Amino acid sequence: MLKWTRRIALLLLALVVVALLVVWWLMRGSLARLEGESGLAGLSAPVSIQRDALGVVTIDAASEADATRALGYVHAQERYFEMDLMRRSSAGELSELFGPIAVNMDKERRTHRIRARVSAHLGEFAGDRMPQLEAYAAGVNAGLGDLRARPWPYLLLRQSPRAWEVTDSALAGYAMYFDLQDSGNLRELGLWKIRQHVPPALFDLLTHDGTEWDAPLYGQARGNAALPPATGVDLRTLPMPKTDSHRRLADKGTPGSNNWAVAGALTADGRAIVADDMHLGLRAPNIWFRVRLRYPNPRAPGGRVDVSGFSLPGLPAIIVGSNGHVAWGFTNSYADTADWYPVKPCSKGDDPATCDATEHHAETIRVAGADAVTLDVVDTRYGPIVHPATPGKPALALRWVAHQPGALNFGLADFATAGDLPSVLSVAQRTATPAQNLVIADHKGRVAWRILGPLASRAGACTHSLEFTRGSADASAATPAPPSRCSPWLISSQLTPVLTSPPNHRLWTANARVLEGDALARVGDGGYALGARARQIRDGLLAKERFTEKDLLAIQLDDRAVFLQRWWQLLQDEAGRSPADSSVKALADAGRAWEGVASVDSVSYRLVRAWRLAVHARIADGLTAPAQAALGNDFIMPDLPQLEGVVWPLLEQRPPHLLSRRYRTWDALLEDAAKEVRDDLADQGPLAQRRWGERNTAKICHPLANALPAFLKPRLCMPGEPLAGDGAMPRVQGPSFGASERMVVSPGHEADGIIHMPGGQSGHPMSPFWGAGHDDWVHGRPTPFLPGDAAHTLTLRPANAQPR
């Protein structure tokens, strides 16, 4: 028996070893090919693909079509699974990979029918670049086919990758609409619901559209709100929810970015410089892929393209970067890109002149390991019905810019051939993307700003859409208008001004309001960010008269807590009036040493930040209490990014009629907020040891990390390092949210440029480029903008050519 036991144990061990070897072999088989030669059908001439020590790719090709074909090859070998996720997320097809867990998300996305819209308007997306898109798709499929094994995530999911099509590049682009805009228009829906149940003066207070922190390109700061008298609103006389559990404001990152530029008048040799860092959810690998493309092109200055920067796997283009003549970067514009329309769907026997015609679309959602799910999408000429009618309330149809023909095209690829400021602005005029603040510099030292991408052109359109912002008509009375008297709005790229050569030679945006007056009315307010970050950037730019690339990187890495300084002082002042055993005093004592930065070692920053959020939540709860009481579970707390402009005057004046009825005094509200912070941190140890880095620790992982056993999960994550920075300062960094790239570059001086990227180039944990460059991003160490010396070279030859 002992002999047989040993033999069985040895057999089991051998089987385990064989299984591990098979897994290792399959994993190795899905690594990108880095060196040697390979055939690629469709090439007109050999293409060189070089990778430096960080995996940054340089492609040298004989034509644009060859370059895009080779880029598709590289994207597929390094990032096919991530490309697949992007197209599936916008199309609502994730359940086909992940099973029932993704069905609800797919239903929400399928309501928009993006795949159907792309298929119907593919020509508008491709324009005159269909050959390049077809070459890219062919290159993607060739790169996928040249892997010895399917990409490793499909092995884990027991799925097979689906081939790439031209339509999928459009779907990858539309995924950014979902990342950057509110596809459910929840903020406006929440405000509309609140407006029906609060006095006008209270609604105006909640929707005050600015603060003293504003730093627009046009106009002045709005300033803080003027508080209404008790005759306008008195919370002491208004309803309260029956429950005593108040709602918290979400502490979440907001997709956005910083960018700015200085003109040649502010540099020693007349160069203009662009700085750009786009804030998104962070993952491993990063959403972007660094690449340099070089190829002949008669439309480019000198007949040749040499463009470097960040590509988006799924699209054959440099999204932000520099081509030696112009450099450009984006931030999310937060324009108003969606509206709700009350509709009355026609029923059998209805007069068509008194109702809205509908069209039903059966959307089939394939589900891995389960039966398919069919979703009935009801469409109107305004858009899909997202909220069906309920007793006393009309059905609501959503009209979103992303639904309209022309919302996305491939014009961004033409940035690579632009030669100066006028030519790149011409390209921008015909480029369709999710609305972005575009900042440009050219090799002549000039700079410019405009909003890139189409906006809602509401002039002459329906007047009965539900408007939710302050100063609009009473939405509570909105009823469907007869279809014969109403036309929905269209989209236009002609609504934004262009600011070139500003007198102070500086441009800046940071997701806050940039416009004023009629221009702002045309663009709208889609939930602009608090202006504190933009103001800190502006002030940094105004503080000097000469700049280099390193000076602009210093602004990108600025983690000074300018915005929270007064909150720290308020906490200290409150502590001086509070009992010795109060929570306010405990927080103030633990955070008495004000470091003034969101550094990983700062205790005061962590405590003051948490206290401010708790105070905001209580004040927002009190101001929305009448709506909460009326709506119950139907209440939606909207984003209130400008609430600081209301909270601060409230705390300065402390009017009894605007105090939440949950508290006897304003001091009690502040004490309750402090108690929450104290209680939340009590289990972690003494307050005086609760550093910001303990809370702000990186959690940047592969999308499948949670599917692995706990002991393997760290292999799919970046190191869990503490991170400096936060959302109200230029250095935006959170556990899994922050600068998805940093770039500082002057066109024509790319060799002096600086770049950062978290998460690394490759999506394969066995690749030498998994996480490459991430540590420089964490610690803010400058990395050269241009790729370094080649560490690996792969030559792609026309498939019928014989290798040498």
Side-chain angles (χ1 to χ4, degrees), residues 479-788:
T479 55
S484 60
R485 299 204 305 266
C486 186
S487 297
W489 51 256
L490 304 175
I491 61 175
S492 171
S493 297
Q494 312 294 322
L495 300 179
T496 177
V498 177
L499 178 56
T500 60
S501 302
N504 66 4
H505 312 295
R506 299 161 174 89
L507 294 168
W508 62 89
T509 79
N511 315 124
R513 177 177 63 86
V514 295
L515 294 169
E516 184 63 85
D518 291 342
L520 177 61
R522 292 193 300 270
V523 172
D525 178 358
Y528 293 120
L530 176 70
R533 180 160 39 99
R535 179 169 135 177
Q536 196 160 330
I537 292 167
R538 180 203 65 186
D539 292 349
L541 292 173
L542 293 175
K544 298 186 66 170
E545 292 299 323
R546 281 289 181 266
F547 292 92
T548 66
E549 284 82 352
K550 288 185 178 179
D551 292 325
L552 297 191
L553 175 64
I555 297 177
Q556 289 179 315
L557 300 178
D558 181 7
D559 59 4
R560 290 177 302 127
V562 176
F563 173 64
L564 277 190
Q565 164 70 38
R566 66 182 186 182
W567 280 89
W568 173 82
Q569 189 61 58
L570 175 65
L571 180 62
Q572 297 299 318
D573 292 345
E574 285 298 314
R577 297 189 291 268
S578 300
D581 60 348
S582 72
S583 296
V584 163
K585 186 167 178 55
L587 291 189
D589 288 346
R592 187 171 301 280
W594 176 244
E595 297 90 348
V597 291
S599 66
V600 298
D601 294 323
S602 177
V603 172
S604 60
Y605 183 83
R606 182 179 184 183
L607 298 181
V608 173
R609 178 189 187 274
W611 184 60
R612 172 186 172 269
L613 286 174
V615 171
H616 266 241
R618 283 155 177 76
I619 291 176
D621 173 67
L623 297 179
T624 60
Q628 292 184 50
L631 293 167
N633 292 333
D634 206 26
F635 173 79
I636 299 172
M637 178 65 83
D639 287 339
L640 300 170
Q642 309 303 325
L643 189 63
E644 179 76 12
V646 177
V647 168
W648 198 253
L650 284 173
L651 294 178
E652 287 180 318
Q653 301 173 39
R654 307 199 180 187
H657 64 284
L658 294 176
L659 173 65
S660 168
R661 287 172 56 188
R662 302 189 195 281
Y663 306 101
R664 189 170 50 83
T665 65
W666 283 97
D667 285 346
L669 183 150
L670 297 175
E671 171 66 16
D672 188 57
K675 183 177 184 301
E676 178 190 307
V677 175
R678 186 179 187 177
D679 291 348
D680 284 349
L681 297 178
D683 294 339
Q684 300 177 36
L687 283 177
Q689 297 176 17
R690 305 279 63 80
R691 301 177 304 119
W692 174 236
E694 181 183 60
R695 155 69 172 75
N696 205 43
T697 299
K699 296 179 182 178
I700 302 171
C701 297
H702 190 277
L704 294 183
N706 288 330
L708 295 181
F711 72 95
L712 286 176
K713 181 177 177 179
R715 191 67 186 86
L716 291 184
C717 297
M718 295 298 102
E721 298 183 75
L723 302 173
D726 198 11
M729 58 194 62
R731 191 172 190 171
V732 175
Q733 287 186 164
S736 57
F737 180 87
S740 61
E741 54 81 37
R742 292 192 194 105
M743 174 184 80
V744 186
V745 64
S746 170
H749 303 273
E750 286 79 4
D752 298 327
I754 300 167
I755 207 165
H756 285 148
M757 192 177 83
Q761 282 276 89
S762 177
H764 201 302
M766 296 175 71
S767 168
F769 311 127
W770 170 263
H774 179 82
D775 195 58
D776 288 338
W777 172 86
V778 170
H779 296 102
R781 291 189 293 265
T783 301
F785 175 81
L786 291 177

Side-chain angles (χ1 to χ4, degrees), residues 41-370:
L43 288 179
S44 66
V47 174
S48 170
I49 299 174
Q50 301 177 15
R51 288 175 170 87
D52 70 3
L54 297 178
V56 181
V57 170
T58 298
I59 295 177
D60 286 291
S63 69
E64 182 179 13
D66 284 357
T68 55
R69 192 178 299 267
L71 181 61
Y73 185 96
V74 171
H75 277 168
Q77 292 227 317
E78 297 281 18
R79 297 284 195 87
Y80 193 80
F81 179 68
E82 290 73 28
M83 295 165 60
D84 193 12
L85 292 186
M86 289 194 71
R87 66 174 173 181
R88 288 178 181 274
S89 67
S90 64
E93 296 169 354
L94 290 170
S95 300
E96 195 172 358
L97 274 184
F98 298 109
I101 194 173
V103 167
N104 286 338
M105 181 178 178
D106 278 353
K107 284 182 176 180
E108 187 275 321
R109 297 291 169 91
R110 283 294 182 94
T111 300
H112 301 282
R113 302 185 65 246
I114 298 298
R115 181 176 285 281
R117 297 179 195 278
V118 166
S119 298
H121 301 284
L122 183 59
E124 291 185 55
F125 167 75
D128 62 357
R129 288 188 164 271
M130 185 63 80
Q132 287 82 5
L133 287 163
E134 290 173 342
Y136 178 78
V140 169
N141 291 323
L144 179 64
D146 277 1
L147 294 173
R148 189 158 43 85
R150 56 188 154 165
W152 69 268
Y154 298 98
L155 297 172
L156 185 63
L157 294 169
R158 292 178 293 176
Q159 298 280 355
S160 295
R162 191 175 69 200
W164 194 263
E165 301 175 359
V166 171
T167 53
D168 294 329
S169 286
L171 291 173
Y174 272 104
M176 298 309 296
Y177 262 104
F178 287 98
D179 273 355
L180 297 171
Q181 296 182 4
D182 179 4
S183 61
N185 206 21
L186 292 177
R187 178 175 177 271
E188 288 198 352
L189 184 62
L191 288 174
W192 171 62
K193 290 183 176 183
I194 289 172
R195 181 166 192 165
Q196 298 175 62
H197 300 287
V198 301
L202 179 52
F203 186 78
D204 285 349
L205 192 64
L206 281 166
T207 55
H208 181 69
D209 61 351
T211 73
E212 61 192 286
W213 295 94
D214 296 346
L217 290 177
Y218 291 84
Q220 302 298 318
R222 287 278 197 268
N224 295 334
L227 301 182
T231 54
V233 54
D234 190 339
L235 295 183
R236 296 170 295 188
T237 66
L238 296 176
M240 280 282 291
K242 294 181 180 178
T243 175
D244 61 359
S245 61
H246 64 269
R247 299 168 188 266
R248 304 289 195 261
L249 291 180
D251 178 13
K252 60 183 178 63
T254 302
S257 307
N258 303 325
N259 66 6
W260 58 89
V262 294
L266 301 180
T267 62
D269 58 3
R271 70 177 70 180
I273 311 174
V274 165
D276 183 75
D277 43 311
M278 296 186 284
H279 306 148
L280 294 167
L282 303 179
R283 69 183 191 197
N286 188 37
I287 185 173
W288 309 113
F289 186 86
R290 289 185 59 192
V291 67
R292 182 178 191 177
L293 303 175
R294 300 190 290 206
Y295 54 87
N297 188 309
R299 296 183 298 167
R304 185 168 181 80
V305 165
D306 183 353
V307 60
S308 300
F310 295 93
S311 67
L312 179 67
L315 285 170
I318 300 297
I319 306 302
V320 298
S322 182
N323 69 1
H325 306 278
V326 297
W328 67 96
F330 303 144
T331 71
N332 200 19
S333 73
Y334 285 91
D336 184 4
T337 59
D339 285 326
W340 293 106
Y341 283 80
V343 294
K344 178 186 176 184
C346 291
S347 300
K348 187 176 181 180
D350 283 347
D351 181 353
T354 64
C355 61
D356 293 285
T358 59
E359 185 176 358
H360 290 255
H361 304 277
E363 292 283 323
T364 301
I365 301 173
R366 296 184 179 89
V367 184

